[in-house]
Amino acid sequence: MQTSARVVIIGGGIMGASLLYHLAELGWTDCLLIEKDELTSGSTWHAAGQCPSITGSYNLAKIHAYSNDLYPRLEGMTGQYVSWHKSGGIRLATNERELAWFKYIHGFSKIIGFDMEIIDPEEIRRINPFLTTDGVIAGAYTTSDGHADPSGICNALAIGAKNLGAKIVRKNRVTGLTQLPSGEWDVATEKGVVRAEIVVNAAGCYARQVAQMAGIDIPVTNMEHHYIVTDPIPAFLERDEEIPVMRCPYVSGYFRQEQKSGLIGVYENIGLAEAWAPKGQPEWESTSELFIDDLDRISKWLERAIERMPVFGEVGIRRIVNGAIPHTPDGGPLLGPAAGLKNFWQCCGTSFGIAQGGGSGKYLAQWMVYGDADINMTEFDPRRYGSFADEDYSRDKVFLDYRMTFTTRLPGEEEPDGRPCKTSSLYEPLKAVGAVYGETYGWERPKYFALDGAPEQGGYQRTNSFEMVAAEVKAVAERVGVLDLSGFAKYDVTGPDAEAFLNRVCANRMPKKQGGIGLVHPLSRQGRIYGEMTVTRFADDHFYCLSAAAAEQRDWDFLTQSKLPDEDVTIRNLTMDLGVLVMNGPHSRDVLQKLTDADLGNEGFRWLSGQEITIAGIKMRALRVSYAGELGWELHPAMDDLAALYNAVWAAGQEFGIVNYGLYAANTMRMEKGYKAWGSELTNELTMIEADMPRFINFKKDDFVGKQATLDAPDRFRIVYGEVDASNVDVRGAEPCLIGEDCIGLTTSGSYGHRVGKSLFFACVPLENAAPGSEFEIYLQGERRLATVLEHPAYDPDNAKMKV
């Protein structure tokens, strides 16, 4: 066996084989895949092999679409039989909420390019004459997907990788991982040690064991999942045409033909079973493992499948498969760098590995080779989880995700499982006065305040939160409002080389004046947008950096791993040490001035500056910034002092009509101001020029990461800001932008602007459609609505209200 490789991939299932193939395809042929038994012997071999186009995530749908394009071609490319069945698929809707979800997906199907049609029950029965449609109101019919033999696909990818020069070693168990001071890894195996520049964990059900070998853990829980194969069905024997793969919320599962037999898979929502419980992990020595079947556990849903397809009830059961499937807390794969480690990547955690394997391998390979992928990888980045995602949290969330596989979640709907996880000291007091919370990176953050006590109604249309958010925005615009944003990621960067370090790794120049605040963006080596931080200079050698709650681990890794050995820089994570109370509105100065001797006027505390001051007897960092577009401050006390600060501010604000507000109001106000957001407008897909952020690049300073790449990059797209003639449905993101029948781009985010009375959006479109005044249509819940690109922010374009 070879003793060194550029990349060692641990695991020979669909994910590992796909990554190996796509790395080799991009020219990284010095890659070695190590499999402890035979290829596919984890969870790949027993998978049902479905490859649906429909999924609720736009970027995940891109991954599925690429898999569905690749798999039919593999046999011709490699000679390996893959048994691709282009049967298509139909997912059934039994209520209006499921139909609304179909309409949203139908929108982004136009962007991605997979065929999808929403059809009525009569058409469903024409396509599948064996189906009963009682209670069905519509179907989502996709024609380019189907199913295949999982082992065939995996082996075809492996053959393709070897044909390109990559290597595979079977029957070789990895026994340990050691990182060297150089950043390389020694991968100990039963057949010797391999030194690797990069290690990838593609171990599927065994991924936690591999992560633990590297000194970390990951939130993966393995679940038992049944499917059954029937005896041959006479009605199938008599016809040549294959029925589509059917998916039904009533059945909580899928069913289809398997040759001339039937196949039924169930995601039960009661009596769920964790694989290898109570330990929760397989033995590292195990392989090709199945569990004792438990038909009693799934009998309710099998009976429902027979109700839907009575021909299934005419024959007996030929085979029962009960195998393990790995799941993450949100159901998405782990694709990207491992938290806290250099040169260690994750390619695991997918519960739909066959459907996602091809695309996961492609886009992760792009990220590894080029530094960026061609799709937004934020939602798959393993660092979306931190230490809060322990074993109990993962289990609670995975059980939720499993049982809701065929339950449609609408925007705004969040379940209590695994929560609360991280809270500020204001959690209970704000909950007592109506705060409706959402979860971000484990943090509980108020979305809005339900003063009527009614639960939030989820939906793509304007819901019961709409008027309450309008009232919060009105209060902020006319009086004063406060918001708990303690989940912000917070870092101190100090030391003699702190300024030079930050200037080297960010596109904009650090603020020069003490107290100055700047908006800066780290870039990748390809010149794409990596992140966004607000930086305040508190001293010559002290910079305070803030970023999104969800970016905490990402940005910590970026800062600590970007530091050069000879740079005298110290980086501290203050996220849990400091709280954040945001105050906005024309009376915010009046409220704060009652509590401090500090000069809060324009001369004493200028806009876009920060100071360390005392408010209500509490020392804190105060930043005069406003995401809401009104006069305002962010107050950053010690987390232990947050409640006392809030109580003092609340008491002082009574005469000015102070209110609590939430993230929904914050989002509508940022849209009115035309502020772009990391993860939606600012992504790894775009350069700063394409994101229309040139004023935040300082090309005059010395070389910074991504500078030349930004200058050399093709200018393909532009993020534009505009208003849309919406009815009761506002832009959410991933809706298509249309001119005639041509899809020219997609929305990235949006909201109704209550202060301006307009429905607003951001979109990514070609340059020829980006000029102010350009018009196109946006497809919103099945309706084409006229959209117009605006030249300036819809609210206070001169920032006069923030400067008073």
Side-chain angles (χ1 to χ4, degrees), residues 479-534:
R479 305 193 303 276
V480 61
V482 287
L483 168 64
D484 177 14
L485 274 185
S486 296
F488 267 148
K490 319 170 193 79
Y491 318 94
D492 264 350
V493 180
T494 59
D497 296 328
E499 181 176 9
F501 164 70
L502 289 170
N503 272 325
R504 179 175 62 80
V505 299
C506 297
N508 206 357
R509 186 179 293 279
M510 293 306 111
K512 283 292 188 182
K513 294 181 180 179
Q514 184 165 326
I517 296 177
L519 187 66
V520 305
H521 300 83
L523 307 181
S524 72
R525 66 178 186 268
Q526 201 177 359
R528 306 267 188 97
I529 299 169
Y530 179 86
E532 180 177 65
M533 295 189 293
T534 300

Side-chain angles (χ1 to χ4, degrees), residues 295-608:
L295 290 184
D296 288 342
R297 193 167 85 223
I298 64 170
S299 60
K300 171 183 174 180
W301 292 276
L302 290 179
E303 291 168 1
R304 290 184 173 189
I306 293 171
E307 283 183 53
R308 280 278 179 250
M309 287 275 289
V311 292
F312 288 154
E314 298 173 2
V315 295
I317 295 174
R318 186 177 68 187
R319 182 162 57 105
I320 302 171
V321 175
N322 182 19
I325 301 179
H327 287 251
T328 61
D330 62 7
L334 302 178
L335 303 174
L341 294 177
K342 294 188 72 172
N343 302 327
F344 192 95
W345 293 67
Q346 310 282 12
C347 182
C348 54
T350 174
S351 54
F352 296 95
I354 309 306
Q356 296 167 7
S360 294
K362 173 182 179 175
Y363 295 114
L364 183 58
Q366 289 179 349
W367 193 354
M368 293 174 66
V369 172
Y370 300 127
D372 292 298
D374 286 339
I375 68 171
N376 185 349
M377 297 292 282
T378 304
E379 68 181 279
F380 314 124
D381 193 321
R383 295 166 298 180
R384 68 188 186 270
Y385 298 111
S387 59
F388 68 91
D390 58 16
E391 193 166 303
D392 289 339
Y393 176 92
S394 177
R395 184 174 289 109
D396 287 348
K397 291 291 190 183
V398 165
F399 271 61
L400 168 69
D401 181 69
Y402 184 95
R403 72 174 182 262
M404 296 194 71
T405 299
F406 282 90
T407 300
T408 298
R409 295 173 178 171
L410 296 180
E413 292 183 336
E414 298 187 57
E415 294 76 23
D417 303 66
R419 300 169 59 187
C421 185
K422 292 196 291 187
T423 63
S424 80
S425 55
L426 298 182
Y427 174 73
E428 291 294 347
L430 295 182
K431 187 176 180 181
V433 294
V436 177
Y437 279 97
E439 183 187 13
T440 300
Y441 197 67
W443 283 102
E444 295 292 331
R445 306 195 300 172
K447 296 191 289 186
Y448 74 101
F449 286 78
L451 302 182
D452 60 359
E456 181 176 13
Q457 298 169 3
Y460 292 97
Q461 76 290 347
R462 296 170 189 165
T463 67
N464 64 328
S465 67
F466 185 81
E467 294 301 331
M468 284 174 270
V469 171
E472 291 175 13
V473 171
K474 187 176 192 300
V476 170
E478 296 178 356
R479 305 193 303 276
V480 61
V482 287
L483 168 64
D484 177 14
L485 274 185
S486 296
F488 267 148
K490 319 170 193 79
Y491 318 94
D492 264 350
V493 180
T494 59
D497 296 328
E499 181 176 9
F501 164 70
L502 289 170
N503 272 325
R504 179 175 62 80
V505 299
C506 297
N508 206 357
R509 186 179 293 279
M510 293 306 111
K512 283 292 188 182
K513 294 181 180 179
Q514 184 165 326
I517 296 177
L519 187 66
V520 305
H521 300 83
L523 307 181
S524 72
R525 66 178 186 268
Q526 201 177 359
R528 306 267 188 97
I529 299 169
Y530 179 86
E532 180 177 65
M533 295 189 293
T534 300
V535 178
T536 305
R537 184 179 197 135
F538 279 114
D540 288 346
D541 60 352
H542 180 191
F543 295 83
Y544 182 44
C545 303
L546 302 170
S547 63
E552 180 185 343
Q553 184 65 51
R554 270 178 61 106
D555 288 347
W556 173 254
D557 284 353
F558 168 77
L559 290 168
T560 56
Q561 294 178 14
S562 295
K563 188 175 70 168
L564 300 177
D566 61 347
E567 288 180 312
D568 189 351
V569 178
T570 300
I571 303 164
R572 293 176 57 219
N573 188 340
L574 303 179
T575 301
M576 301 303 294
D577 298 330
L578 301 181
V580 178
L581 187 68
V582 175
M583 175 179 288
N584 287 289
H587 287 297
S588 54
R589 180 184 284 120
D590 300 323
V591 174
L592 288 181
Q593 201 67 76
K594 294 173 64 176
L595 302 171
T596 183
D597 294 330
D599 182 359
L600 301 180
N602 281 322
E603 294 299 320
F605 204 137
R606 69 184 187 277
W607 179 49
L608 295 181

